[in-house]
Amino acid sequence: MKIVRIEDLTGGEREVISPAGWTSFRFLLKSDNMGFSMHETVFPPGLEVQMWYKNHLEAVYCYQGTGEITDLETDEKHDIKPGTLYALDKHDRHILKAHTELRLVCTFNPPVTGREIHDKDGAYALPEQNEES
Amino acid sequence: MKIVRIEDLTGGEREVISPAGWTSFRFLLKSDNMGFSMHETVFPPGLEVQMWYKNHLEAVYCYQGTGEITDLETDEKHDIKPGTLYALDKHDRHILKAHTELRLVCTFNPPVTGREIHDKDGAYALPEQNEES
């Protein structure tokens, strides 16, 4: 059994502070051998980020804050509030915007290694692609 | 993209109310094709349940409430509070107890189908085993 506490991640290499403005706490990564990774991501009020996880499936559960997600495949907008989950089951290009601070629990399949950064498309590369670069 | 809201699950077949006293909202199941399932589980104050997921890996993120988990392999107890995640990476037998109402975001690999119930060991059977029974 592994116990991971947010206060133990804060300030370490598993606290990823993006230049875009979000912060992600990597509770579980590929090396934890769960077959998925699990993060908590904090989106500050007003932040708007375009993403496209070409290589991963991601599900995001909001437990705090309000915002909206725009599905760039359809241009539909959906409200995000506590108790809303969105699943990018088709590697959907999207924009996430926070109205108030969003606290999001995110699961990725395949698991991320922790070394990924968003590329120009807003994607995370797979480990093999990282190793080539 | 799938959007799932807790209010849409309430009262439907994806709201699983256990005879033991917990309630689980099945946001994503095997049929959602994410490669994992993702649930929100509510443990009322005082509830104590022994579990043993022999067939699944599970990670649980607490965002509300306090409680404790006992690792039955080692008899160690760990406090649960907002910002704590536990990962049953060795199919660890455990007891979860809520001091105040726990709100837990749970990811299972492999994904559960939604039809599982805890067996006498506190495990979920795999779909193949369900079909045999």
Side-chain angles (χ1 to χ4, degrees), chain A residues 89-108:
Chain A
D89 59 337
K90 298 184 184 69
H91 304 280
D92 318 67
R93 290 182 307 126
H94 64 287
I95 295 172
L96 181 64
K97 181 173 181 177
H99 300 321
T100 64
E101 183 182 89
L102 289 172
R103 291 253 168 188
L104 308 165
V105 182
C106 312
T107 302
F108 281 86

Side-chain angles (χ1 to χ4, degrees), chain B:
Chain B
M1 180 182 301
K2 288 194 171 112
I3 307 285
V4 188
R5 301 182 190 281
I6 195 163
E7 61 264 34
D8 297 334
L9 303 182
T10 303
E13 63 181 16
R14 287 191 175 212
E15 180 188 21
V16 177
I17 301 173
S18 159
W22 50 261
T23 300
S24 184
F25 298 92
R26 307 292 169 86
F27 281 81
L28 295 173
L29 290 169
K30 184 170 192 277
S31 58
D32 293 304
N33 296 315
M34 295 293 284
F36 54 84
S37 60
M38 209 161 165
H39 320 162
E40 177 169 2
T41 299
V42 183
F43 250 62
L47 182 63
E48 186 171 342
V49 179
Q50 181 168 335
M51 290 170 276
W52 184 18
Y53 293 118
K54 287 180 281 190
N55 303 307
H56 297 82
L57 300 175
E58 185 196 19
V60 174
Y61 180 84
C62 170
Y63 74 83
Q64 182 188 296
T66 58
E68 66 182 31
I69 185 168
T70 303
D71 182 339
L72 292 174
E73 311 298 335
T74 63
D75 283 333
E76 283 179 287
K77 290 183 196 291
H78 305 278
D79 287 339
I80 305 287
K81 61 182 182 179
T84 303
L85 176 143
Y86 64 85
L88 305 169
D89 59 337
K90 298 185 183 69
H91 304 281
D92 317 67
R93 290 182 306 127
H94 63 287
I95 295 172
L96 181 64
K97 180 173 181 177
H99 300 322
T100 63
E101 184 183 88
L102 289 172
R103 291 252 168 189
L104 308 165
V105 182
C106 312
T107 302
F108 281 86
N109 171 27
V112 308
T113 64
R115 294 176 301 149
E116 293 85 352
I117 55 166
H118 285 115
D119 68 12
K120 63 180 168 46
D121 292 323
Y124 286 154
L126 291 172
E128 296 71 22
Q129 295 171 296
N130 274 343
E131 282 159 19
E132 286 167 15
S133 66

